Amino acid sequence: MSAPAIEVHQLTKSFGATTALDHFDLVVQPGEVTGFLGPNGAGKTTTIRILLGLIRADGGTARVLGKDPWQDAVELHPRLAYVPGDVALWPSLTGGETLDLLARMHGRVDTARRDRLVERFELDPAKKVRAYSTGNRQKVALVAALSTDAELFLLDEPTAGLDPLMEAAFRDEVAALRTRGVTVLLSSHILGEVERLCDTVTIIRDGRAVEAGNLAELRHLTRSTVTLRTRCDLRRPGGLACLAAVPGIHDLSVDGDLVTFEADAEHIRDLVSALTWLDITDITWERASLEDLFLRHYTTVGGTAPR
């Protein structure tokens, strides 16, 4: 098996009294699209800046494409593409001039692909950057990055400011990167975006990794919600005995002929067997989502997730 494209172990970084990373671990395999989830301030951008060699970690180790991002930054940068969530460009240049400048700086650009991307993202390259909206500045960064032949893409909230149509175009381009076998680390708090695009996910909280794995593995850690209607008289003694006896059933409730509960994934077979005893007229089975997992880690005592 080839070495990881990104391998971070026990990474620490503080800014004064603020701990941004607290013994953080992250592994991204070659050819994977990995989602990097967490709210603002969780440590995502700090991690990416360390991987780019822009800041130095206080402790731990980081390897990017087999290299030290701090010691080998000059060698690594032509092999990387980076899109930040808040793009700052040269206001006096046009979009086309900016793309040309960024291409010369990177050195590994497919100009035919760049022309296609300019059209796909509906970017006017003749307009001055100072006249661009936030979304159009983001498009410049995306076109510049996606037109390169980089081996690793580091995308930090890359769809900030884009409208839904352009977000869809971005998803198509990331899918194309996966098809080409390119590695992507996608930092985002848009759960649907990550769920559509990513092979694996790492969730960070307070500078520490709290969950990591592929989506199928992570969904085993959450529960499905089941809602059904039955003709059985659930008010009679033992009316719900077949369900109550199933391990992994939680928050079972009855309202007339309506039954709702949550079910652990590892006990689904037992549950399906038990349901055959009920005269069911309707059933809805809502699979646990990445949002469920995310909120489980970020819900506060008061019951709301931080923004």
Side-chain angles (χ1 to χ4, degrees):
M1 186 175 179
S2 56
I6 297 174
E7 189 169 19
V8 167
H9 181 63
Q10 297 290 290
L11 206 61
T12 61
K13 180 64 181 179
S14 295
F15 298 96
T18 302
T19 299
L21 295 174
D22 184 8
H23 299 88
F24 176 65
D25 294 327
L26 172 68
V27 176
V28 180
Q29 298 296 342
E32 283 187 350
V33 179
T34 294
F36 192 20
L37 281 172
N40 294 335
K44 303 189 305 296
T45 297
T46 298
T47 301
I48 289 175
R49 289 175 65 82
I50 289 173
L51 296 177
L52 288 166
L54 299 178
I55 58 176
R56 192 171 190 173
D58 297 333
T61 59
R63 306 290 290 179
V64 176
L65 301 176
K67 303 290 184 180
D68 183 316
W70 181 257
Q71 298 291 339
D72 304 316
V74 174
E75 181 181 350
L76 274 173
H77 279 188
R79 304 170 67 187
L80 307 178
Y82 168 55
V83 177
D86 185 12
V87 175
L89 301 172
W90 300 273
S92 61
L93 298 182
T94 66
E97 290 169 339
T98 303
L99 290 173
D100 288 340
L101 176 58
L102 293 173
R104 289 196 297 271
M105 292 171 63
H106 194 277
R108 299 173 63 181
V109 172
D110 183 326
T111 54
R113 189 191 310 145
R114 184 181 66 186
D115 293 343
R116 179 185 64 79
L117 289 165
V118 167
E119 184 175 352
R120 180 73 192 275
F121 283 99
E122 301 178 2
L123 179 68
D124 182 357
K127 186 178 291 187
K128 293 282 189 182
V129 166
R130 67 166 60 93
Y132 277 156
S133 65
T134 299
N136 279 322
R137 291 197 302 273
Q138 201 68 26
K139 291 178 188 179
V140 173
L142 284 169
V143 170
L146 292 168
S147 61
T148 70
D149 290 324
E151 300 167 52
L152 172 62
F153 284 73
L154 300 170
L155 309 178
D156 189 6
E157 309 285 356
T159 57
L162 297 187
D163 62 37
L165 186 62
M166 294 299 101
E167 288 178 359
F170 167 77
R171 290 194 296 269
D172 289 344
E173 296 303 325
V174 173
L177 291 178
R178 181 197 285 114
T179 300
R180 284 163 40 199
V182 176
T183 309
V184 179
L185 179 65
L186 172 60
S187 167
S188 180
H189 59 259
I190 303 175
L191 299 169
E193 182 175 85
V194 172
E195 199 156 21
R196 289 188 189 98
L197 293 174
C198 296
D199 305 300
T200 61
V201 171
T202 293
I203 298 178
I204 185 172
R205 177 176 186 174
D206 298 330
R208 285 180 171 266
V210 293
E211 294 288 357
N214 64 52
L215 292 180
E217 291 170 341
L218 294 181
R219 288 190 181 111
H220 282 299
L221 301 175
T222 58
R223 299 167 180 167
S224 296
T225 300
V226 181
T227 304
L228 63 87
R229 292 187 183 275
T230 175
R231 292 191 182 94
C232 293
D233 183 4
L234 300 177
R235 293 168 297 181
R236 62 180 174 80
L240 285 177
C242 60
L243 286 180
V246 176
I249 298 296
H250 306 272
D251 301 326
L252 182 62
S253 67
V254 179
D255 182 8
D257 64 346
L258 183 67
V259 182
T260 59
F261 55 90
E262 294 184 346
D264 292 333
E266 61 267 30
H267 297 294
I268 295 301
R269 181 178 297 179
D270 296 330
L271 173 59
V272 171
S273 177
L275 290 177
T276 60
W277 294 97
L278 295 177
D279 187 4
I280 296 173
T281 60
D282 184 57
I283 186 168
T284 301
W285 200 299
E286 186 177 352
R287 186 185 65 173
S289 68
L290 188 58
E291 183 173 10
D292 298 325
L293 180 65
F294 185 80
L295 291 176
R296 191 183 82 175
H297 286 294
Y298 282 97
T299 299
T300 63
V301 175
T304 58
R307 298 184 182 275

